[in-house]
Amino acid sequence: MSTLKSLALAAVVCAPLLPATATAQDSIYVPLLTYRTGAFAGSGIPIADGMRDYLTMLNERDGGIGGVKLILEECETGYDTKKGIECYEAIKSKNPVIVNPWSTGITLPLIPRAAVDKVPILSMAYGLSASADGTTFPWVFNPPATYWDGLSQVISYIGAQEGGLDKLKGKKLGYIFLDAGFGREPIPLLEQLAKDYGFEVKFYPIAAQDMQNQSSQWLNVRRDKPDFMVLWGWGAMNGAAVKEAARTGYPMNKFFSVWWPGDDDLRATGEPAKGFRTLNWHSADGNYKALSEIKKHVVDKKLSQANPDKVGELLYNRGVYNSMLIAEGIRNAQMLSGKKVVTGEDVRRGLETMNVDAERLKAMGMEGFAQPIKLTCADHNGHLATFMQEWDGKAFVKVSDAIPPMVDKVKPLLDSAAKDYAEKNAGWPKRSEACDKAS
């Protein structure tokens, strides 16, 4: 397919979610890169619904943000990097105030473009971990925790379960991962932690085309007999991995994951999935005012594509959290700039001075939904603590206290990775303004 035809197709897929009566002069354009089709749709659909519904709720209830309507537009990427870039090129000329790639593979090639196009990237808890360093990556934001934070939290939890990190010495850990940028991202830290704590790592890469046929790798798991398994999967891979673990008799109480498996991934396995654990940082239920407002102003008015029963489930709530960050970045940009119709440059400033404290969470109807988060010029992530939750057969239940990241292990690697990135990309642009020491 020619580039021209590809861009034309992307433009067709990018269907506006508001009537064309709102114009660029009196509105704020927020594109949503989503995937409702393909092997990753099981994860992509609930997140897309949560993202869209929260912002639609603000339009319906409040007339937008600061009295300015949001023009929402989805572009279908299929979780494919090439399609994601085509979507980005199709929406770039419309003056987006932010871009949400929703794929590490799409995020990585967009990072060098952000400063040139002056469009901030929000890669919420995914993407390049080193982009948490706002001094090196002023246009990229990945709150509330990086993949390296998440991996360190999984290892911390496993160590605590064993009686201390020193007890990991001589143990064997299996790492089953999507063999793409996403799954490979935490490997440098995993190898360092294995060296530091004396455990062995067995790697089980899963190609995208093999996500639903993992049997050969699980035969290797049976042969290797790892003491623990860590899953770094997405889309159809997660449900298939849990099914294969159950089929091969791998104990679920030794199977852990970063924060991406959703309710449907576990439901598909049924009773044998009980005991599987995954990290999280926000609520996995619908008992919050903000979600009630979504039901009232969006779902009940048939303005949502979501199944009403899915509102409040884990990945739907993940999409809501993502759009809360978008909305707060815009809101803060309006306050800082004194403008109602803000630009990508304004929103970048709004994001890196964002402080969603307990009072603000309560005002948004999210008291208890998630912990406060504050970003700064130097820290575009927050590095928040997460908690472990367990599948009880019907829902996820919180089973741990807050697990902070291993800052002493993670930060030096992040700093080094950020420096290496800038050095390897000749002419990497420096910040137009320095971060002061307080930030």
Side-chain angles (χ1 to χ4, degrees):
M1 181 182 290
S2 70
T3 301
L4 183 60
K5 288 183 179 178
S6 296
L7 293 179
L9 177 60
V12 170
V13 173
C14 293
L17 303 180
L18 275 181
T21 51
T23 66
Q25 289 74 33
D26 58 9
S27 60
I28 297 170
Y29 176 56
V30 181
L32 302 174
L33 273 59
T34 59
Y35 33 96
R36 296 180 178 273
T37 62
F40 297 92
S43 300
I45 289 172
I47 285 175
D49 288 339
M51 282 199 298
R52 172 182 171 176
D53 289 357
Y54 182 80
L55 296 174
T56 301
M57 182 269 287
L58 296 181
N59 271 341
E60 293 296 308
R61 186 191 68 186
D62 305 333
I65 300 174
V68 181
K69 281 272 191 178
L70 306 175
I71 293 182
L72 310 177
E73 189 171 38
E74 285 192 39
C75 193
E76 173 67 35
T77 71
Y79 196 76
D80 178 82
T81 299
K82 182 181 177 182
K83 289 182 180 178
I85 299 302
E86 289 171 354
C87 280
Y88 178 76
E89 291 297 332
I91 58 105
K92 187 174 67 174
S93 64
K94 301 178 184 180
N95 299 317
V97 298
I98 198 166
V99 62
N100 297 259
W102 270 106
S103 156
T104 295
I106 298 172
T107 299
L108 297 179
L110 290 185
I111 287 174
R113 304 177 187 216
V116 177
D117 297 333
K118 299 190 184 306
V119 181
I121 295 170
L122 176 60
S123 54
M124 187 209 67
Y126 63 90
L128 183 68
S129 294
S131 63
D133 177 5
T135 59
T136 304
F137 300 93
W139 289 87
V140 188
F141 299 81
N142 57 2
T146 70
Y147 279 148
W148 289 5
D149 293 325
L151 178 69
S152 77
Q153 289 160 337
V154 171
I155 300 302
S156 288
Y157 181 80
I158 293 173
Q161 295 297 104
E162 292 297 299
L165 286 166
D166 59 307
K167 299 296 192 298
L168 296 181
K169 187 174 183 179
K171 299 287 187 180
K172 190 183 297 182
L173 183 146
Y175 180 67
I176 187 162
F177 63 101
L178 181 63
D179 195 10
F182 155 59
R184 293 190 290 267
E185 172 67 17
I187 288 178
L189 178 62
L190 179 57
E191 292 176 332
Q192 183 62 51
L193 294 178
K195 180 180 178 181
D196 292 344
Y197 296 114
F199 60 86
E200 178 186 1
V201 180
K202 298 296 251 183
F203 293 98
Y204 305 102
I206 304 294
Q209 64 268 25
D210 298 327
M211 289 195 303
Q212 293 175 287
N213 182 23
Q214 304 174 26
S215 56
S216 61
Q217 286 291 31
W218 282 94
L219 287 175
N220 293 335
V221 171
R222 177 181 284 182
R223 177 199 64 205
D224 297 337
K225 296 182 173 59
D227 299 286
F228 320 100
M229 285 292 293
V230 175
L231 172 64
W232 222 266
W234 189 226
M237 179 180 165
N238 286 334
V242 174
K243 277 186 178 180
E244 286 291 344
R247 190 178 65 82
T248 58
Y250 193 84
M252 284 296 163
N253 64 350
K254 299 293 184 181
F255 198 9
F256 309 91
S257 178
V258 73
W259 38 71
W260 292 121
D263 296 70
D264 287 341
D265 295 321
L266 282 301
R267 286 195 190 103
T269 300
E271 189 73 10
K274 289 177 66 174
F276 176 82
R277 276 167 278 181
T278 175
L279 293 177
N280 192 12
W281 68 85
H282 60 75
S283 167
D285 67 62
N287 299 320
Y288 296 89
K289 182 180 178 182
L291 294 172
S292 296
E293 294 287 280
I294 289 173
K295 292 176 182 177
K296 176 181 176 182
H297 295 283
V298 183
V299 178
D300 291 349
K301 292 182 178 179
K302 310 298 183 186
L303 299 176
S304 172
Q305 296 184 50
N307 180 330
D309 294 337
K310 300 290 186 181
V311 176
E313 288 192 352
L314 177 64
L315 292 184
Y316 182 93
N317 286 3
R318 187 72 46 79
V320 168
Y321 184 93
N322 186 90
S323 282
M324 179 273 288
L325 294 175
I326 295 172
E328 289 304 288
I330 293 171
R331 174 179 171 271
N332 199 33
Q334 290 174 329
M335 291 190 295
L336 290 172
S337 68
K339 298 186 297 186
K340 292 294 186 180
V341 179
V342 291
T343 66
E345 292 178 272
D346 298 324
V347 172
R348 183 191 71 79
R349 289 180 58 221
L351 286 168
E352 71 176 15
T353 55
M354 185 172 68
N355 182 13
V356 182
D357 58 16
E359 182 179 356
R360 180 60 189 154
L361 285 168
K362 184 176 181 179
M364 290 189 293
M366 290 186 169
E367 183 177 17
F369 180 85
Q371 57 192 305
I373 181 166
K374 180 179 181 180
L375 304 183
T376 69
C377 174
D379 179 12
H380 282 194
N381 182 268
H383 305 286
L384 296 192
T386 61
F387 57 86
M388 196 66 75
Q389 60 186 12
E390 181 177 312
W391 183 253
D392 70 358
K394 295 182 179 179
F396 285 108
V397 179
K398 184 178 179 181
V399 293
S400 83
D401 294 328
I403 309 169
M406 297 181 185
V407 178
D408 59 327
K409 302 288 185 182
V410 173
K411 192 172 190 310
L413 283 176
L414 283 178
D415 291 345
S416 176
K419 181 180 178 182
D420 288 348
Y421 186 101
E423 290 177 350
K424 289 176 181 176
N425 288 269
W428 185 250
K430 295 183 179 180
R431 289 189 64 98
S432 57
E433 72 289 333
C435 295
D436 60 44
K437 293 181 180 179
S439 67

